Amino acid sequence: MKKIFQLPYLLILAVIAASIEIELSVPSFPDMVRHFGSTEETIQRTLSLNFFGFCVSSLFYGPISESFGRRPVFLFGNILFLFGSVACIFAGSIELLIAFRFFQGLGASAIWVVTFAIIADNYQGSESMKVIGLINSIITGFMAGAPILGGIINEHFGWWANYIFIGFLSFTALLLVYFFLPETLKIKKPLETKTIKKDYWTLCTSPHFLLLNTLPNVMAAVYMSYVAISPFYYIDQLTYTSSAFAFHQGTLVASFSLTSYLSARIVKKFGERRSIITGAALTLSSTFGFLFIVHFLPNTAFLISLSMITWAIGCALYFSIIFAKSLEIHPELKGPASAFAMSSRTLICAIFVTFSGIIYDGSLQPFSYFMMTVVSLAIALVPKILPKSKPIYPQTNTQAT
């Protein structure tokens, strides 16, 4: 069969809207508090309920895509995400906005779950790591610019205009998927409840699979927790404009993007083991640096951002390696494995974001203790993840489709 050379780029274009919807809206949070007469904790529920919708539906999209194909599930997710995005524009209350953000999460989960299932259909081993690294780097590049763009849109047009922009991107993605995305699933399976339970039981009782999912999941949740509370600290406490805050946030995301883009080259030059160790060391040291800065230099936004940038670089060094490997543990369960990974990640994100909103007291100190605790526990798992004599990613040929 013919290789789909443009497939990674098609997937990137298709998932842009679902990737930047959070970063784009974050600079608007303080204005949303004032518009709805709400509280910081309530506004943060627009994130946690979005994550919850993502988490609940992810578990179903994987098995469904194994039975009905990747393409129809991808299309359904895009339609649902588009509906949620357009509905947010007309939300007359914070309760309606939270509900429509939940629908956005339901659609976004299909987009992301099927994306990684499609990658698993077409690429294995080192090729899978390269494609995931490519997608991470480009998508996070868009995510880096999203806060800046969101801040500008918010200042000139209002918080609701960001959802107009997301709706436009979502509609464009729907057209791209409809006209250009081929079906990549070779063999469809019957949709049976017994089979679904068996597949997820296999994943839930696979120590190696769970271990490889833990580190990326925890780091993603810590990042999203910081994203949820940082606009209130920078804008309300440090009196930054939404555009100025967005620059700090965009630089953070850009650092992860650039490192992800270079990760394949870094691994090739220094090896998987050294890359993981270096990334873990950077993550842990910058976590303690963040703790020190928010306690003794709390008004120094530059140093706070710098510590988080270093943290993001460390995460990017091992993120693609470990996540790609997790999808290879059970090659016969590509759809469910991708769904489980996405679902568990967003569940942890929802829990962490909610908890961070509860402990936020106008400073970053409570969050710094929370971050130090969970990151330290996660990094303690690294020795069990490290490859020994055999490389994590043997050189294999890309499967043609």
Side-chain angles (χ1 to χ4, degrees), residues 14-65:
V15 302
I16 286 175
S19 304
I20 69 171
E21 46 116 357
I22 291 175
E23 279 75 12
L24 194 75
S25 65
V26 161
S28 304
F29 278 9
D31 282 352
M32 291 165 67
V33 169
R34 290 185 283 271
H35 176 83
F36 290 108
S38 186
T39 64
E40 290 91 344
E41 183 182 346
T42 302
I43 293 299
Q44 286 170 3
R45 289 178 189 165
T46 63
L47 290 184
S48 58
L49 264 293
N50 179 280
F51 291 143
F52 184 69
F54 193 114
C55 171
V56 171
S57 57
S58 293
L59 294 174
F60 299 97
Y61 288 133
I64 290 173
S65 73

Side-chain angles (χ1 to χ4, degrees), residues 10-26 46-47 50-51 54 57-58 61 73-85 101-116 135-136 138-140 142-144 146 162-174 176-177 223-224 342 345-346:
L10 176 60
L11 293 175
I12 288 168
L13 292 172
V15 302
I16 286 175
S19 304
I20 69 171
E21 46 116 357
I22 291 175
E23 279 75 12
L24 194 75
S25 65
V26 161
T46 63
L47 290 184
N50 179 280
F51 291 143
F54 193 114
S57 57
S58 293
Y61 288 133
V73 178
F74 211 162
L75 285 169
F76 175 78
N78 272 274
I79 293 171
L80 197 57
F81 183 79
L82 176 59
F83 165 76
S85 301
R101 291 284 284 150
F102 175 78
F103 276 99
Q104 275 188 308
L106 293 178
S109 66
I111 296 170
W112 274 111
V113 167
V114 176
T115 291
F116 286 111
I135 291 178
N136 275 342
I138 296 178
I139 288 299
T140 50
F142 280 101
M143 291 167 64
N162 280 317
Y163 292 106
I164 293 179
F165 183 70
I166 287 295
F168 170 76
L169 291 181
S170 181
F171 180 70
T172 304
L174 179 61
L176 289 172
V177 171
Y223 167 74
M224 291 312 308
M342 293 295 99
R345 182 174 304 171
T346 49

Side-chain angles (χ1 to χ4, degrees), residues 254-324:
S255 64
F256 182 89
S257 173
L258 180 60
T259 309
S260 294
Y261 177 75
L262 298 174
S263 62
R265 300 179 189 178
I266 294 172
V267 170
K268 183 177 181 180
K269 184 173 183 178
F270 297 103
E272 296 160 351
R273 184 182 181 89
R274 188 178 297 179
S275 298
I276 294 174
I277 292 174
T278 303
L282 282 175
T283 302
L284 189 60
S285 60
S286 57
T287 298
F288 282 93
F290 178 82
L291 177 70
F292 177 86
I293 292 167
V294 301
H295 276 75
F296 299 103
L297 300 167
N299 296 322
T300 313
F302 169 76
L303 292 179
I304 294 174
S305 295
L306 182 62
S307 65
M308 289 303 299
I309 286 170
T310 307
W311 185 88
I313 290 172
C315 290
L317 285 175
Y318 53 75
F319 200 97
S320 296
I321 302 174
I322 296 173
F323 181 62

Side-chain angles (χ1 to χ4, degrees), residues 165-374:
F165 183 70
I166 287 295
F168 170 76
L169 291 181
S170 181
F171 180 70
T172 304
L174 179 61
L175 293 179
L176 289 172
V177 171
Y178 181 80
F179 286 108
F180 299 108
L181 182 69
E183 180 56 65
T184 62
L185 183 65
K186 297 181 178 67
I187 301 175
K188 296 181 181 179
K189 303 176 183 177
L191 186 62
E192 300 177 354
T193 304
K194 183 183 296 186
T195 302
I196 294 174
K197 290 180 179 178
K198 181 182 177 181
D199 290 346
Y200 280 125
W201 178 252
T202 299
L203 296 173
C204 289
T205 56
S206 174
H208 197 193
F209 175 79
L210 296 176
L211 179 64
L212 289 172
N213 269 278
T214 299
L215 190 59
N217 288 355
V218 168
M219 297 309 171
V222 169
Y223 167 74
M224 291 312 308
S225 299
Y226 175 77
V227 165
I229 63 174
S230 58
F232 297 110
Y233 185 72
Y234 276 76
I235 296 174
D236 292 341
Q237 304 300 321
L238 302 183
T239 66
Y240 273 54
T241 64
S242 56
S243 296
F245 159 72
F247 175 79
H248 283 262
Q249 188 69 16
T251 305
L252 169 62
V253 182
S255 64
F256 182 89
S257 173
L258 180 60
T259 309
S260 294
Y261 177 75
L262 298 174
S263 62
R265 300 179 189 178
I266 294 172
V267 170
K268 183 177 181 180
K269 184 173 183 178
F270 297 103
E272 296 160 351
R273 184 182 181 89
R274 188 178 297 179
S275 298
I276 294 174
I277 292 174
T278 303
L282 282 175
T283 302
L284 189 60
S285 60
S286 57
T287 298
F288 282 93
F290 178 82
L291 177 70
F292 177 86
I293 292 167
V294 301
H295 276 75
F296 299 103
L297 300 167
N299 296 322
T300 313
F302 169 76
L303 292 179
I304 294 174
S305 295
L306 182 62
S307 65
M308 289 303 299
I309 286 170
T310 307
W311 185 88
I313 290 172
C315 290
L317 285 175
Y318 53 75
F319 200 97
S320 296
I321 302 174
I322 296 173
F323 181 62
K325 176 58 181 176
S326 72
L327 298 179
E328 295 288 329
I329 300 298
H330 297 281
E332 76 284 2
L333 301 176
K334 296 171 184 176
S338 175
F340 185 92
M342 293 295 99
S343 178
S344 58
R345 182 174 304 171
T346 49
L347 175 61
I348 296 173
C349 283
I351 294 171
F352 279 26
V353 166
T354 300
F355 182 73
S356 297
I358 293 173
I359 65 175
Y360 179 70
D361 61 355
S363 75
L364 295 176
Q365 292 183 12
F367 173 75
S368 68
Y369 286 119
F370 173 62
M371 178 179 177
M372 178 191 65
T373 301
V374 297

